[in-house]
Amino acid sequence: SLARNHGDEPLIQARILRTIEDLPRAWELAREAGEAVDRHYWAEFEIFGRGEFELVNEAAAQLRRHGRFARALDLLAIYSHRSEVTLDSRLIVDLLNDLIDAEDPERGTLSQYDIAALLEYARNSGEIDTEVLGLLEWRYLPALDSSSSIPALQSLLASSPEFFVQIISYLYRRKGAESNDEKHPENLVRNAWTLLHRWEVVPGSTDRGGEVNEALLLEWVSTARRLLSEAGRLSVGEAHIGQVLAHSKADEEYWPTLPVRNLIENDSSETIDRNFMIGIANSRGIVSRGIGEGGEQERALAEKYEEYPALINDEWPRTARLLRTVAEEYRREAAEQDEDRKSTRLNS
């Protein structure tokens, strides 16, 4: 009744309603009091200090209704690490999409960590389709650092040759095209570069280091090549195909896995072969070396890549040849590191 006595001042009425501890009742009264009171109530709704808050999803939905997308996501992020509340994963996805498209003055309150945590929660729920998650990860890629997981986006790339060719087309010009042709927004170009350089899911599989379905792999590669040819980007596309094959799992002592060996043996190209070897080198990551260590690391890698060809040479000679070339390169690098160590000792 006190709130009703201030009907001429919606803000005061909303603030009085916010003192009511029975939140469902307060929300109901705010709606009944009219649009202005309801708007003021939710404009000042505080998400912090709620303790074991069972109405997280309901409050987030109300904040969404009033355009406070970032604040709603911030509230959900707070409770994404707590077991006492089950969050609405579909609401999380809807809010993340809302925030991308909206001018929300509270956008800055949502941290990179919060976005990554909410995406992870939606993934783990098992309720959201991989394609939906993948496209959402694509939209938020600039907001995620290199340590943030983007498994759905990588899986989407590995399952959809059409999406792969679209990403290639954002990053590379059509063969023979002038530099001013087919210009894409800078954010799309950056996203494409980041995604392709983080891609580690082999087509025909669903996750990094997963089992590869040979029929799906061959179908994906065949379709991708056809679309790349039509788009005038076959060579650059095949380069990335070759590099992702280097992230194949092993079959016990055999590497790469059988479907990848069969692809290289029967349906590869010079570009794929060359970039498969480049992918092996790149997968090593950043190298740290002790003072005076020499080429011990490279010798160990050379021995590793000499063992694989010995096991597969009879049935997969082309794959074996590529692996021997990798081993030879590591032998050469080992010799260079040994020479650098000798030079360092002589000059010290």
Side-chain angles (χ1 to χ4, degrees):
S1 61
L2 181 60
R4 294 192 188 96
N5 292 334
H6 292 82
D8 293 336
E9 300 183 45
L11 177 58
I12 294 176
Q13 191 172 354
R15 286 177 174 173
I16 292 171
L17 290 173
R18 286 205 301 114
T19 65
I20 299 176
E21 295 184 3
D22 184 349
L23 290 180
R25 180 59 178 158
W27 299 349
E28 180 183 3
L29 290 172
R31 285 194 301 273
E32 291 175 353
E35 187 274 333
V37 174
D38 198 38
R39 183 179 70 253
H40 282 302
Y41 179 94
W42 287 103
E44 294 186 343
F45 184 80
E46 183 55 66
I47 66 171
F48 299 106
R50 295 288 174 182
E52 294 186 9
F53 190 34
E54 296 180 356
L55 300 172
V56 176
N57 294 309
E58 292 83 352
Q62 290 286 357
L63 289 166
R64 181 192 182 204
R65 186 167 67 87
H66 288 83
R68 297 186 71 191
F69 308 123
R71 189 60 76 188
L73 287 164
D74 206 359
L75 173 62
L76 292 167
I78 291 170
Y79 288 88
S80 66
H81 309 288
R82 302 189 185 184
S83 59
E84 69 267 20
V85 177
T86 300
L87 302 184
D88 184 339
S89 294
R90 298 187 187 281
L91 178 60
I92 290 173
V93 169
D94 289 341
L95 278 163
L96 285 169
N97 278 313
D98 290 337
L99 185 62
I100 284 284
D101 299 322
E103 290 294 331
D104 188 339
E106 296 178 297
R107 182 188 298 268
T109 64
L110 198 64
S111 71
Q112 189 178 68
Y113 175 81
D114 291 335
I115 293 171
L118 289 168
L119 285 169
E120 186 72 17
Y121 191 98
R123 280 188 220 106
N124 293 339
S125 73
E127 297 177 356
I128 310 300
D129 182 76
T130 298
E131 183 174 353
V132 172
L133 282 171
L135 292 174
L136 192 56
E137 288 174 356
W138 165 254
R139 300 185 81 187
Y140 274 91
L141 197 54
L144 300 172
D145 63 25
S146 59
S147 65
S148 300
S149 178
I150 51 170
L153 182 52
Q154 293 199 49
S155 294
L156 179 59
L157 201 63
S159 64
S160 173
E162 295 81 6
F163 183 59
F164 169 70
V165 175
Q166 182 64 66
I167 298 304
I168 290 290
S169 298
Y170 286 148
L171 189 57
Y172 299 99
R173 291 195 302 272
R174 177 186 294 271
K175 186 177 181 179
E178 296 296 327
S179 59
N180 291 327
D181 294 344
E182 302 176 319
K183 293 280 285 185
H184 295 292
E186 186 61 31
N187 65 313
L188 288 181
V189 175
R190 284 196 303 269
N191 265 20
W193 189 92
T194 300
L195 173 56
L196 288 170
H197 285 79
R198 291 180 63 180
W199 186 28
E200 297 182 351
V201 178
V202 177
S205 65
T206 57
D207 49 35
R208 184 177 182 272
E211 293 290 335
V212 179
N213 182 300
E214 185 168 343
L216 292 179
L217 171 62
L218 296 177
E219 180 183 1
W220 188 97
V221 171
S222 175
T223 303
R225 281 171 145 172
R226 175 177 57 80
L227 295 174
L228 287 166
S229 294
E230 293 171 359
R233 294 170 172 88
L234 179 60
S235 181
V236 291
E238 284 192 332
H240 285 280
I241 293 172
Q243 289 177 37
V244 79
L245 295 179
H247 294 284
S248 159
K249 69 181 290 290
D251 296 334
E252 297 180 355
E253 71 270 31
Y254 297 93
W255 188 86
T257 188
L258 177 62
V260 172
R261 297 199 302 270
N262 285 341
L263 171 65
I264 292 174
E265 209 63 34
N266 304 312
D267 199 23
S268 191
S269 68
E270 182 180 339
T271 301
I272 290 177
D273 288 355
R274 182 172 64 255
N275 281 275
F276 173 65
M277 293 186 289
I278 291 172
I280 292 173
N282 291 342
S283 66
R284 185 182 180 189
I286 298 173
V287 179
S288 60
R289 195 184 307 276
I291 298 174
E293 179 182 339
E296 293 303 318
Q297 294 183 46
E298 287 73 21
R299 265 187 293 279
L301 288 167
E303 290 172 4
K304 171 184 174 181
Y305 287 104
E306 286 166 347
E307 290 175 0
Y308 295 138
L311 296 170
I312 67 174
N313 189 70
D314 291 343
E315 293 186 69
W316 300 275
R318 182 170 183 161
T319 310
R321 174 177 56 81
L322 298 178
L323 296 178
R324 278 194 295 269
T325 301
V326 171
E328 290 166 4
E329 179 62 21
Y330 279 127
R331 289 287 181 194
R332 185 191 63 77
E333 289 184 28
E336 288 182 354
Q337 292 297 330
D338 288 343
E339 286 299 316
D340 287 346
R341 177 176 59 184
K342 291 177 182 177
S343 298
T344 301
R345 287 177 175 174
L346 289 173
N347 295 324
S348 61

